[in-house]
Amino acid sequence: MTLNKLLLALMLSAPAHTSASAPTFDQCLDRLRAHALSEGIDAATFDTHVRPVTPDESVLELLDAQPEFTTPIWGYLAGLVDQERVDDGRDMLRRHADTLARVEAEYGVEPETVVAVWGVESDFGNTFGKRPLLTSLTTLSCMGRRQSFFRGELIETLRIVQSGDIAADALVGSWAGAFGHTQFMPSTYRRIAVDFDGDGRRDLVGSIPDALASTARYLERSGWRSGEPWGLEVRLPDDLGTRVSGRTSRRPLSYWRQHGITRIDGDQIDLPASTPTALLLPAGREGPAFLVFKNFDAIYSYNAAESYALAIAHLSDRLRGQGGFATAWPTSDPGLSRQDRRELQAMLLARGHDIGQVDGIIGAASRAAIEQEKQRLGITPADGRAGRRVLEELRADVGGAHVESRTTH
Ligand code: CA
């Protein structure tokens, strides 16, 4: 973000009567301190953890970032629900079977869904995010568009530290303050988190039982119905229009039955006729179609994105032993698993592109390199998306590599 854009954003976000004299960061900390004390935070806690903060303005860029291009749903799902994550998830189901059984008994959410949330949110604890919460949230409390929201999150973070539940230096996460195994926001932590291992602390960073139980409790509070599926892939009759689709257009299951929608194998759906149901067409009429029930909404409430909810839902099915979707996505350039992405990155490196580490994460440098390679190979559109076509053409393009490319796993 340029300085001008930042100033413009601040001007637009500030109330009219203060726009002429925005407070300095120090003045903001003074006001925050008074507010924190009125919320029950000790002066010592504030002065130790917030007063020394140097603002991290990179979080403001992320707050205002517009996606450079939208990832198609099949690209998104290919990375989040790949064989690696299914295998790792099955391993977690085995390793934490006792905890997950107790979690299900307490909250009514079965192990595969809880583990699927864990896998999508933090890759089973491998990626918590690296930004110190107190730095990010103090910055966002004093600068940018949503200061009052982030002020609330900062106070809740201080409450966690003050209670001794989680140490301040263990509270790292996303730029916006989501942290721990299942990436709770601090305000969600306050409402939902539980001490499930009985050590007296609600610790979503250091305790897997606490994190898994808290996730199940979140879903329970979001209306989870025990024993009901999230949804299922369906077969549509040819004459059904797309007008009736959409997650919020709920109708009784009987409505969809009357319109000829069946399971993908042609069988009837075995749930009560009154079950609230919506039709989801993530890629339109030509791609996979789904009927979704109340539990899909509970998953959706976790992060308010349908593609994300579908990733968790689908991963939970894969963990139950189901295969991929029966209907293909409407594309000639499918998405890549993380292993494919690593292979693609290794080939980019071998062709002299300075893309940093082979990590399976397609960032700005990888996208720029993919764009150049697509231009060289005559692939259209020559965009930065990591898809099957560029992977296969690079595999075939042996002469383009300076050294033999190989996958670093
Ligand atoms: Ca605990």
Side-chain angles (χ1 to χ4, degrees):
M1 177 191 278
T2 64
L3 183 61
N4 281 341
K5 262 179 83 184
L6 175 61
L7 291 173
L8 184 64
L10 285 168
M11 237 169 63
L12 291 175
S13 67
H17 62 279
T18 61
S19 62
S21 57
T24 65
F25 190 68
D26 279 341
Q27 286 170 330
C28 178
L29 291 188
D30 289 341
R31 284 193 325 197
L32 272 181
R33 189 176 191 274
H35 177 61
L37 265 54
S38 76
E39 290 283 330
I41 303 300
D42 297 339
T45 303
F46 187 92
D47 292 341
T48 305
H49 297 289
V50 179
R51 185 57 83 182
V53 164
T54 305
D56 172 10
E57 297 192 16
S58 68
V59 296
L60 298 169
E61 294 172 29
L62 293 163
L63 174 68
D64 288 330
Q66 301 294 324
E68 288 170 59
F69 62 96
T70 39
T71 307
I73 177 86
W74 50 85
Y76 186 78
L77 286 172
L80 280 177
V81 191
D82 57 12
Q83 191 59 45
E84 213 175 330
R85 210 176 306 263
V86 173
D87 292 343
D88 290 345
R90 292 202 178 126
D91 189 31
M92 294 302 159
L93 284 171
R94 279 189 294 272
R95 273 207 249 169
H96 301 283
D98 292 347
T99 299
L100 288 161
R102 286 199 299 124
V103 165
E104 183 176 16
E106 182 76 28
Y107 301 108
V109 185
E110 85 299 340
E112 292 83 356
T113 298
V114 176
V115 169
V117 173
W118 188 19
V120 169
E121 285 290 348
S122 74
D123 193 25
F124 313 106
N126 285 318
T127 51
F128 283 167
K130 294 194 176 96
R131 293 171 182 273
L133 254 63
L134 287 159
T135 300
S136 303
L137 293 172
T138 302
T139 306
L140 291 163
S141 294
C142 288
M143 305 162 109
R145 288 187 290 111
R146 298 182 64 195
Q147 294 176 22
S148 75
F149 167 77
F150 287 112
R151 203 152 52 228
E153 298 297 330
L154 176 64
I155 299 296
E156 296 309 331
T157 306
L158 289 168
R159 250 190 257 288
I160 297 170
V161 173
Q162 182 164 293
S163 66
D165 278 358
I166 307 173
D169 60 6
L171 287 168
V172 293
S174 76
W175 68 268
F179 70 95
H181 283 278
T182 50
Q183 298 283 289
F184 272 30
M185 289 296 287
S187 57
T188 309
Y189 173 95
R190 185 185 197 189
R191 283 191 301 121
I192 303 289
V194 288
D195 169 25
F196 203 68
D197 61 13
D199 72 348
R201 298 186 303 127
R202 303 188 294 161
D203 183 358
L204 305 190
V205 178
S207 166
I208 290 172
D210 287 7
L212 298 182
S214 299
T215 296
R217 184 162 188 247
Y218 184 94
L219 293 169
E220 181 202 39
R221 292 292 174 93
S222 304
W224 190 264
R225 297 184 178 203
S226 292
E228 193 171 290
W230 63 269
L232 72 173
E233 190 182 352
V234 293
R235 186 190 288 180
L236 299 180
D238 291 336
D239 58 355
L240 187 81
T242 55
R243 263 184 316 111
V244 290
S245 71
R247 188 183 59 85
T248 54
S249 299
R250 286 187 209 89
R251 294 172 167 84
L253 178 58
S254 53
Y255 171 89
W256 305 106
R257 281 184 181 143
Q258 282 157 19
H259 283 78
I261 294 181
T262 63
R263 299 174 62 99
I264 201 77
D265 59 11
D267 284 355
Q268 287 298 315
I269 297 157
D270 186 23
L271 281 169
S274 61
T275 306
T277 308
L279 174 64
L280 216 61
L281 302 173
R285 190 70 175 72
E286 299 309 312
F290 306 92
L291 283 185
V292 296
F293 314 114
K294 293 297 272 183
N295 287 349
F296 188 81
D297 290 336
I299 297 172
Y300 174 87
S301 73
Y302 214 97
N303 211 353
E306 281 176 15
S307 48
Y308 168 90
L310 190 60
I312 290 175
H314 184 45
L315 179 57
S316 75
D317 280 351
R318 295 290 304 273
L319 293 177
R320 288 181 195 96
Q322 295 183 26
F325 300 130
T327 310
W329 295 106
T331 178
S332 57
D333 191 12
L336 299 181
S337 68
R338 286 171 295 164
Q339 188 169 344
D340 288 341
R341 289 174 198 198
R342 290 194 292 267
E343 182 187 348
L344 175 61
Q345 286 179 318
M347 290 195 287
L348 294 171
L349 278 176
R351 283 161 180 75
H353 296 284
D354 181 18
I355 59 160
Q357 273 188 314
V358 171
D359 56 8
I361 297 167
I362 305 296
S366 291
R367 282 199 295 273
I370 291 166
E371 202 173 315
Q372 282 179 34
E373 288 298 320
K374 282 185 179 175
Q375 276 166 11
R376 187 176 69 77
L377 295 162
I379 300 172
T380 52
D383 58 14
R385 191 173 86 79
R388 172 85 25 207
R389 260 197 79 189
V390 68
L391 177 73
E392 286 176 355
E393 297 228 5
L394 283 174
R395 277 176 183 162
D397 170 55
V398 209
H402 302 302
V403 292
E404 191 175 324
S405 63
R406 62 193 169 80
T407 308
T408 49
H409 192 147

